[in-house]
Amino acid sequence: MSNGLSYVLVTPYTVAKSRTGGVLSRLLMRTDLELVGAQMFAPDKEFADTYACSLRERAPSNQLVLLADYVKQYLGPSGGRPHRSLLLLFKGQDPCDKLLNVCGHLYTQHVEVDALAGETIRDTYSDLIFSSDNPDEVRYFEPAVLTPRHQDEANRDLKLFADFLEGHENLVENVVHPDPSKIERTLVIIKPDNWKYNSSRPGAIIDMFSRTGLRIIGIKVHRFTLEQALEFYGPVEGALREKLSDSFGQRALELLEKEFKFKISKESADALSLTFGTECAKDQFHQIVEFMSGMRPGSSDELDKKGNVKCMILVYEGENAVNKIRDVLGSTDPTKAAEGTVRKEFGSNVMVNTAHASDSQENYERESSIVRINNNSLAAIIREHVS
């Protein structure tokens, strides 16, 4: 078996129908591959034509001809408007075979509906409808996802993707809104606790956010540097000190009085809150930074080194985006979150609460700048693995 890099391209129709979460759930849950990159992008006509030509040249099979025709007609712009597609990169042993098994093959002949089991992504989300008058004539075709059959095909396609993506920003701005003043953007982070092992959780979380009706215009796999985590959560440090110093000081006071069996003076009690309590609050902040970056402040001088844990960052766009996302996200404390929210469903405690979302448009701007949302390393990852 060999290590390699391969991809799944989620088609514009599948993205537009908010099926992204379901597709991602299947891919993560049913393979042992590592998701190393993700990018939403809007192919132009030249890219679609080149990709379609590459598919058509590989073999004269009905399946590849269908895919080539689909890519040429639907992947690029229509009516002058480009469409969002999502590229997912997976790394591991025999990635092409594993991804193809989960995505599913295309049937090039008529198959009875009752014969489909919904086992693969294409069984569930794709459509291949033949004419009732001519069983060899395809009336409608939507493949849902595209993925290569062999590593040489993957390498060829990946070079094509890297060439196109270099020079393109990470956010797709392909819609002109009737009233731009009503449109907001908000940033969502699917936190590291969802990526300890392959599971359906990240996709399920995206599915839950999809009920807002907002559009995903940007997505990337990200590893916080220590510097980024410290800056991102910097405003939390003061709040933790104000909120927790007294309570930690009080707990220390009670333990000391119990152990030494005498009443401690108010001056000493205040000093405990100011010293020990403040140190404990600071430690809570350091735990948050370590949770998000995999590195504890003070443990490394390499502040700009990528962290040991990963997360996924998404940008949602639409009317009242900030409040809509936070309503689905739920309270910071999962035990107090409403039923049916992301944090109630998947969160563990105030720190390990599964996802983050900007609480204002101003914070979206600040947070986006810190994580460099317009930059995506997907093309660089391809260049690193595919010569």
Side-chain angles (χ1 to χ4, degrees):
M1 294 191 294
S2 59
N3 285 305
L5 187 73
S6 191
Y7 73 89
V8 171
L9 180 66
V10 185
T11 67
Y13 186 79
T14 305
V15 170
K17 295 290 284 185
S18 295
R19 294 169 175 171
T20 305
V23 169
L24 184 60
S25 288
R26 296 280 188 97
L27 293 168
L28 292 175
M29 185 173 57
R30 294 185 53 197
T31 72
D32 59 357
L33 302 172
E34 180 187 1
L35 177 69
V36 293
Q39 185 163 354
M40 196 77 75
F41 72 110
D44 59 19
K45 184 179 185 301
E46 181 181 359
F47 175 88
D49 288 347
T50 304
Y51 186 29
C53 182
S54 177
L55 291 172
R56 188 171 284 109
E57 288 174 352
R58 289 171 194 173
S61 70
N62 291 338
Q63 181 186 106
L64 289 177
V65 169
L66 275 174
L67 287 174
D69 290 345
Y70 173 88
V71 166
K72 185 176 179 64
Q73 185 172 358
Y74 295 109
L75 200 66
S78 61
R81 175 185 293 176
H83 305 296
R84 293 169 300 152
S85 295
L86 174 62
L87 183 63
L88 301 170
L89 288 187
F90 291 88
K91 183 175 73 172
Q93 291 187 334
D94 298 318
C96 294
D97 286 344
K98 291 174 181 177
L99 293 174
L100 187 60
N101 286 337
V102 177
C103 289
H105 293 271
L106 289 169
Y107 298 103
T108 55
Q109 69 282 343
H110 179 71
V111 177
E112 292 293 335
V113 171
D114 290 337
L116 299 174
E119 181 181 2
T120 68
I121 290 171
R122 283 177 172 154
D123 274 355
T124 305
Y125 297 119
S126 75
D127 290 300
L128 181 58
I129 301 173
F130 293 85
S131 170
S132 57
D133 297 327
N134 181 1
D136 294 325
E137 179 186 345
V138 176
R139 186 158 57 89
Y140 176 76
F141 175 53
E142 167 53 54
V145 292
L146 290 89
T147 194
R149 302 167 303 171
H150 309 296
Q151 191 62 57
D152 60 336
E153 294 178 355
N155 293 347
R156 180 175 175 180
D157 294 343
L158 287 169
K159 289 178 185 177
L160 178 64
F161 287 123
D163 289 342
F164 179 78
L165 292 173
E166 286 179 340
H168 284 78
E169 291 189 344
N170 191 42
L171 300 184
V172 177
E173 300 177 349
N174 67 323
V175 172
V176 177
H177 298 282
D179 187 354
S181 66
K182 294 182 178 180
I183 302 303
E184 293 180 343
R185 290 179 178 176
T186 190
L187 184 140
V188 167
I189 301 176
I190 301 179
K191 292 184 176 182
D193 51 308
N194 300 287
W195 304 95
K196 290 181 179 178
Y197 54 87
N198 280 11
S199 76
S200 63
R201 281 180 55 163
I205 291 168
I206 293 173
D207 257 350
M208 293 178 75
F209 284 129
S210 72
R211 71 189 191 212
T212 62
L214 300 170
R215 304 168 67 249
I216 301 173
I217 63 167
I219 183 170
K220 71 174 181 176
V221 175
H222 186 69
R223 293 180 184 270
F224 274 87
T225 66
L226 195 53
E227 183 178 37
Q228 287 176 333
L230 285 166
E231 185 179 359
F232 195 97
Y233 286 96
V236 175
E237 185 175 12
L240 287 174
R241 186 183 300 115
E242 183 177 339
K243 183 178 179 180
L244 299 178
S245 293
D246 287 345
S247 62
F248 280 127
Q250 183 62 33
R251 286 174 59 189
L253 173 69
E254 292 169 356
L255 289 170
L256 287 170
E257 288 184 338
K258 182 179 179 180
E259 176 67 22
F260 293 102
K261 298 179 175 57
F262 73 89
K263 185 73 174 176
I264 294 176
S265 68
K266 184 179 184 306
E267 291 78 9
S268 295
D270 291 342
L272 276 173
S273 293
L274 188 61
T275 55
F276 178 78
T278 299
E279 285 296 312
C280 286
K282 185 176 182 180
D283 180 70
Q284 289 290 301
F285 172 68
H286 285 180
Q287 287 184 44
I288 293 172
V289 171
E290 184 177 14
F291 172 63
M292 292 301 297
S293 68
M295 298 182 290
R296 194 167 181 83
S299 65
S300 173
D301 295 329
E302 298 180 89
L303 292 178
D304 59 349
K305 180 183 177 181
K306 287 185 178 180
N308 303 319
V309 294
K310 73 178 178 184
C311 59
M312 177 177 278
I313 300 179
L314 305 99
V315 175
Y316 286 85
E317 180 183 80
E319 291 190 22
N320 200 25
V322 171
N323 287 335
K324 285 180 178 178
I325 288 293
R326 289 187 69 81
D327 284 346
V328 176
L329 178 63
S331 173
T332 302
D333 185 348
T335 64
K336 299 177 181 178
E339 298 290 339
T341 59
V342 169
R343 283 174 171 162
K344 185 68 172 182
E345 184 76 17
F346 297 109
S348 301
N349 54 52
V350 173
M351 183 172 66
V352 187
N353 59 9
T354 212
H356 163 89
S358 306
D359 61 8
S360 67
Q361 192 65 40
E362 292 73 24
N363 262 342
Y364 161 74
E365 298 292 345
R366 185 187 76 87
E367 293 167 355
S368 296
S369 174
I370 293 169
V371 300
R372 301 172 186 171
I373 196 60
N374 269 322
N375 298 330
N376 196 314
S377 60
L378 190 143
I381 295 170
I382 293 174
R383 299 290 191 207
E384 180 183 346
H385 289 85
V386 180
S387 58

